[in-house]
């Protein structure tokens, strides 16, 4: 994932503050080690730390429109960018091959309504200079897969800071808040606005329609397929359990299908990656002799993935805890404990050259897979708990995966 940092409406010499802004952005360069960018516009500074996944050759950020009146910095991926490009009413001159550039052009036409049209995981900040009073618009994806925070300084409340991680804000701001998932912030009124409004979001709304297994299967397959959008080597996290094994099997099958067929010009998703890197890599981690490693080995053999198995010691896990907390920016015991093996595995994955992986995070929340769900007193309470768990995914599993 990339890192974004923005200072909007800075009160002071913005050119002198540029160096400080670069220092603050550098605090999250571990998120984007491939390239750094910075644009100063009026009294605002927009920075980006890039992890190149799509548009590797031309996707450097921040992105600007043709006359540089709109500046955008994005962390994430927009899976329906091809659809949105076709829906633009006016022909737009795209400067890059980035899937994120369409946000800039769509915003130019429909303003903040663009948020509800995005299918992806994202956090972004945009400075609009087309009017006398510049405008900041920032948004976070519906579930909060990507991290985002907003900060202010009491002495200058008109200045707004936005960053992917707290460590870019804590030295500068005396008021910092988590950016709520499914919302956008608009400096015109200084408020957050919810754009993600699915009918299932209210836990008290209990569904009555019978389960549709075909729709479930097709939705899950489509979700995996559209995420095979990368111009770099990718893989899957495989524990040998139900969730990761399903995701891995679908990814292997869909990658093979994409590789065997040339992409249609009208296909709604970008699948170029599966033709570049048709063989799936799988990764597992555990203590020596862990049952997960044995199960993952069996699944990988069946799926014929290029499997990588790593082990770690208890001491190595203990040694990593301080680093895990630093990157998670939470002391939640369960999240830190579950994140430690993933942190160690991620470092090993990086050494193989793989930059993007799929995982089964979120499935237990959606389907009630945790053991305590067996104690739900009624189907209604079971459903309410799944919705509440999805509401809080950004504080745990998403935080770990990001």
């Amino acid at each position: 994932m990339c890192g974004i940092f923005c200072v909007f409406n800075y009160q002071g010499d913005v050119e002198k503050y540029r160096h400080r802004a670069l220092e603050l952005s550098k605090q999250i360069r571990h998120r984007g080690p491939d390239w750094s960018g910075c644009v100063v516009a009026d009294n605002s500074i927009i920075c980006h730390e890039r992890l190149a996944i799509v548009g590797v050759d031309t996707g450097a950020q921040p992105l600007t429109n043709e006359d540089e009146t709109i500046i955008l910095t994005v962390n994430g991926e927009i899976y329906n960018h091809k659809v949105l490009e076709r829906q633009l009413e006016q022909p737009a001159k795209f400067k890059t091959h980035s899937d994120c550039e369409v946000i800039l052009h769509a915003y130019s036409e429909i303003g903040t309504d663009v948020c509800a049209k995005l299918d992806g995981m994202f956090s972004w900040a945009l400075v609009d200079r087309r009017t006398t009073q510049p405008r900041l618009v920032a948004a976070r994806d519906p579930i909060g897969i990507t991290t985002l925070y907003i900060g202010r300084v009491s002495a200058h409340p008109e200045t707004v800071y936005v960053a992917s991680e707290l460590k870019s804000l804590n030295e500068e701001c005396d008021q910092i808040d988590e950016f709520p998932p499914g919302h956008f912030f608009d400096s015109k009124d200084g408020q957050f606005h919810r754009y993600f409004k699915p009918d299932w979001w209210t836990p008290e709304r209990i569904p009555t329609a019978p389960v549709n297994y075909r729709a479930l299967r097709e939705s899950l397959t489509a979700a995996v397929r559209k995420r095979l959008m990368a111009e770099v080597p990718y893989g899957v996290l495989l524990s040998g359990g139900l969730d990761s094994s399903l995701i891995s099997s679908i990814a292997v099958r869909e990658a093979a299908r994409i590789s065997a067929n040339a992409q249609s010009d009208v296909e709604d998703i970008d699948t170029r990656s599966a033709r570049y890197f048709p063989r799936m890599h799988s990764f597992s981690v555990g203590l020596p002799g862990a049952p997960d490693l044995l199960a993952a080995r069996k699944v990988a053999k069946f799926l014929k993935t290029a499997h990588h198995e790593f082990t770690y010691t208890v001491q190595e896990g203990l040694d990593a805890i301080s680093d895990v907390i630093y990157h998670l920016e939470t002391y939640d015991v369960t999240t830190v404990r579950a994140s430690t093996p993933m942190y160690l595995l991620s470092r090993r994955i990086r050494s193989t050259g793989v930059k993007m992986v799929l995982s089964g995070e979120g499935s237990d929340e959606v389907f009630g897979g945790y053991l305590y769900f067996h104690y739900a007193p009624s189907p209604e309470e079971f459903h309410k708990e799944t919705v509440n768990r999805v509401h809080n995914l950004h504080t745990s599993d998403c935080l770990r995966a990001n």
Side-chain angles (χ1 to χ4, degrees):
M1 306 299 288
C2 301
I4 67 172
F5 175 77
C6 175
V7 184
F8 174 75
N9 197 21
Y10 178 73
Q11 300 301 299
D13 190 327
V14 71
E15 287 296 339
K16 287 184 178 180
Y17 192 70
R18 177 189 177 114
H19 180 72
R20 175 59 177 162
L22 289 173
E23 289 181 340
L24 295 172
S25 182
K26 189 176 180 180
Q27 296 296 315
I28 54 174
R29 188 161 294 169
H30 52 270
R31 301 180 62 88
D34 295 335
W35 193 251
S36 301
C38 178
V39 172
V40 177
D42 301 323
N43 287 338
S44 299
I45 305 175
I46 305 95
C47 300
H48 189 264
E49 305 294 340
R50 188 183 187 212
L51 178 67
I53 301 294
V54 177
V56 173
D57 55 342
T58 62
Q61 296 190 40
L63 302 165
T64 63
N65 61 346
E66 199 163 2
D67 61 5
E68 299 187 352
T69 55
I70 303 176
I71 304 102
L72 172 71
T73 182
V74 189
N75 165 34
E77 293 185 334
I78 308 303
Y79 304 123
N80 64 334
H81 70 101
K82 295 184 67 179
V83 174
L84 296 177
E85 288 173 23
R86 294 200 300 269
Q87 291 177 351
L88 293 173
E89 294 183 3
Q90 300 296 326
K93 182 177 180 181
F94 282 76
K95 297 181 179 180
T96 74
H97 298 144
S98 169
D99 55 294
C100 297
E101 187 177 352
V102 72
I103 298 173
L104 186 152
H105 300 295
Y107 169 83
S108 181
E109 290 189 357
I110 62 176
T112 56
D113 288 345
V114 66
C115 299
K117 292 182 176 293
L118 300 176
D119 176 12
M121 54 177 181
F122 54 83
S123 293
W124 51 266
L126 176 151
V127 174
D128 184 350
R129 306 166 59 212
R130 293 176 298 175
T131 58
T132 304
Q133 182 64 42
R135 180 186 187 186
L136 169 69
V137 176
R140 189 180 182 190
D141 65 70
I143 304 299
I145 300 174
T146 61
T147 53
L148 193 64
Y149 300 90
I150 189 166
R152 292 180 176 84
V153 180
S154 299
H156 299 287
E158 63 274 28
T159 301
V160 180
Y161 292 75
V162 178
S164 294
E165 296 184 11
L166 293 166
K167 53 185 66 68
S168 291
L169 303 178
N170 68 313
E171 295 180 358
E172 213 72 0
C173 304
D174 53 22
Q175 177 187 338
I176 302 175
D177 297 296
E178 183 182 22
F179 199 110
H183 288 70
F184 68 85
F185 171 85
D186 192 342
S187 65
K188 288 179 67 175
D189 58 12
Q191 300 295 317
F192 291 103
H193 302 268
R194 172 169 284 282
Y195 69 84
F196 184 62
K197 304 174 183 178
D199 56 4
W200 56 263
W201 193 252
T202 302
E204 288 71 29
R205 183 190 179 280
I206 308 300
T208 57
V211 62
N212 186 331
Y213 292 109
R214 178 182 291 274
L216 177 60
R217 179 190 182 101
E218 291 175 351
S219 297
L220 181 59
T221 299
V224 174
R225 182 183 175 92
K226 68 187 177 184
R227 283 168 172 78
L228 299 178
M229 186 177 78
E231 296 173 17
V232 295
Y234 58 88
V236 292
L237 302 184
L238 181 59
S239 69
L242 176 63
D243 306 332
S244 65
S245 296
L246 276 174
I247 298 302
S248 298
S249 63
I250 296 171
V252 168
R253 184 187 66 208
E254 293 304 308
R257 287 178 176 176
I258 294 168
S259 180
N261 299 282
Q263 178 176 315
S264 167
D265 289 337
V266 297
E267 189 169 2
D268 286 343
I269 58 174
D270 191 336
T271 54
R272 71 189 94 170
S273 61
R275 295 196 306 284
Y276 293 160
F277 309 103
R279 181 135 190 236
M280 190 66 62
H281 290 260
S282 58
F283 302 91
S284 63
V285 67
L287 296 171
D292 280 4
L293 295 179
L294 301 178
R297 206 178 299 162
K298 292 179 181 178
V299 176
K301 183 178 180 180
F302 177 80
L303 296 178
K304 296 181 174 60
T305 62
H307 189 58
H308 310 264
E309 180 180 297
F310 302 109
T311 61
Y312 67 97
T313 65
V314 172
Q315 187 60 55
E316 287 173 329
L318 293 173
D319 291 343
I321 288 178
S322 60
D323 288 337
V324 172
I325 293 172
Y326 174 81
H327 289 293
L328 285 175
E329 298 184 324
T330 181
Y331 289 105
D332 179 72
V333 174
T334 300
T335 302
V336 172
R337 182 183 65 217
S339 300
T340 300
M342 181 175 283
Y343 170 76
L344 295 171
L345 177 60
S346 297
R347 296 191 68 187
R348 300 297 292 269
I349 291 174
R350 182 181 179 185
S351 70
T352 69
V354 169
K355 297 176 72 173
M356 186 272 284
V357 292
L358 303 181
S359 72
E361 257 70 36
S363 56
D364 286 318
E365 286 76 10
V366 173
F367 295 107
Y370 295 115
L371 288 176
Y372 80 90
F373 275 92
H374 290 289
Y375 300 104
S378 67
E380 291 77 16
E381 292 302 317
F382 183 100
H383 174 75
K384 290 179 182 178
E385 181 65 8
T386 60
V387 175
N388 287 326
R389 289 300 298 254
V390 171
H391 285 184
N392 293 315
L393 265 173
H394 67 282
T395 68
S396 54
D397 287 35
C398 290
L399 192 62
R400 179 174 76 243
N402 186 259

